[in-house]
């Protein structure tokens, strides 16, 4: 028998591996505690970590939002126009590929749709959806650039006269 073997009902000498951080297995009756901790870590990575990245990104680019300097002219208008036309194709490609990957993982992996795998599947869905939403938002800004710029000029002239 191995070093951590315990006779059924005799937990008085049970001990966990040294790297586990658990001193006494009597305090952890089964792997449920590890499962709970794992679920909590998945929730953190699926929700809080992207929120932290988003808030950091917002803080790093705040000076661009609140500047009064006029913008520089776009340097490559053909590339911008090509990006506007190509964005819907990219978004559909991202959505179809993500759907195919998630469905394949659910169907072809053991316990693919089990509750234990749902946080991982959710993470695999949120990253491409966020990218697709960002691409569509950028396209909307580029398509409505004249109105955006006119409103910015109006706000700027109002603040200069105040």
């Amino acid at each position: 028998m191995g070093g951590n073997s315990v006779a059924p009902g005799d937990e008085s000498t049970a001990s966990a591996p040294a790297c586990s951080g658990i001193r006494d297995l009597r305090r952890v009756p089964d792997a449920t505690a590890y499962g709970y901790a794992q679920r909590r870590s998945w929730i953190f990575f699926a929700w809080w970590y992207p929120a932290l990245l988003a808030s950091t990104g917002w803080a790093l680019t705040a000076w661009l939002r609140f500047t009064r300097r006029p913008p520089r002219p776009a340097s490559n208008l053909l590339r911008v126009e090509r990006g506007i036309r190509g964005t819907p194709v990219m978004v559909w490609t991202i959505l179809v590929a993500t759907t195919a990957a998630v469905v394949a993982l659910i169907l072809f992996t053991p316990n693919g749709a089990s509750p234990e795998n749902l946080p991982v599947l959710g993470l695999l869905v949120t990253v491409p959806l966020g990218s697709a939403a960002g691409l569509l938002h950028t396209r909307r800004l580029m398509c409505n650039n004249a109105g955006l710029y006119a409103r910015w000029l109006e706000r700027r002239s109002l603040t200069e006269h105040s």
Side-chain angles (χ1 to χ4, degrees):
M1 290 196 159
N4 287 337
S5 298
V6 178
D10 181 21
E11 296 177 357
S12 60
T13 60
S15 63
C19 65
S20 71
I22 298 173
R23 300 187 200 295
D24 188 356
L25 284 180
R26 286 177 288 171
R27 294 172 52 197
V28 181
D30 58 7
T32 306
Y34 281 123
Y36 178 73
Q38 189 176 33
R39 183 176 67 191
R40 294 290 304 264
S41 72
W42 287 342
I43 291 169
F44 173 78
F45 280 111
W47 295 102
W48 297 110
Y49 188 67
L52 176 68
L53 288 177
S55 61
T56 303
W58 189 94
L60 291 174
T61 59
W63 66 276
L64 287 172
R65 284 179 190 78
F66 302 114
T67 186
R68 293 183 184 200
R69 291 186 337 203
R72 294 187 318 237
S75 59
N76 193 345
L77 294 178
L78 292 176
R79 185 172 149 200
V80 171
E81 290 175 1
R82 193 170 44 238
I84 290 170
R85 287 190 312 269
T87 298
V89 174
M90 283 191 298
V91 168
W92 278 110
T93 303
I94 289 170
L95 295 178
V96 168
T98 300
T99 303
V102 170
V103 168
L105 286 172
I106 290 171
L107 294 177
F108 301 120
T109 58
N111 299 324
S114 68
E116 293 86 19
N117 291 339
L118 290 180
V120 174
L121 294 174
L123 184 64
L124 292 175
V125 169
T126 56
V127 171
L129 283 180
S131 298
L135 286 168
L136 289 174
H137 180 67
T138 300
R139 181 180 189 273
R140 187 179 62 84
L141 291 174
M142 294 298 158
C143 289
N144 299 325
N145 63 16
L148 288 170
Y149 187 60
R151 287 190 298 274
W152 181 79
L153 287 174
E154 184 179 325
R155 282 193 311 270
R156 185 172 176 227
S157 68
L158 290 175
T159 58
E160 287 177 356
H161 295 345
S162 298

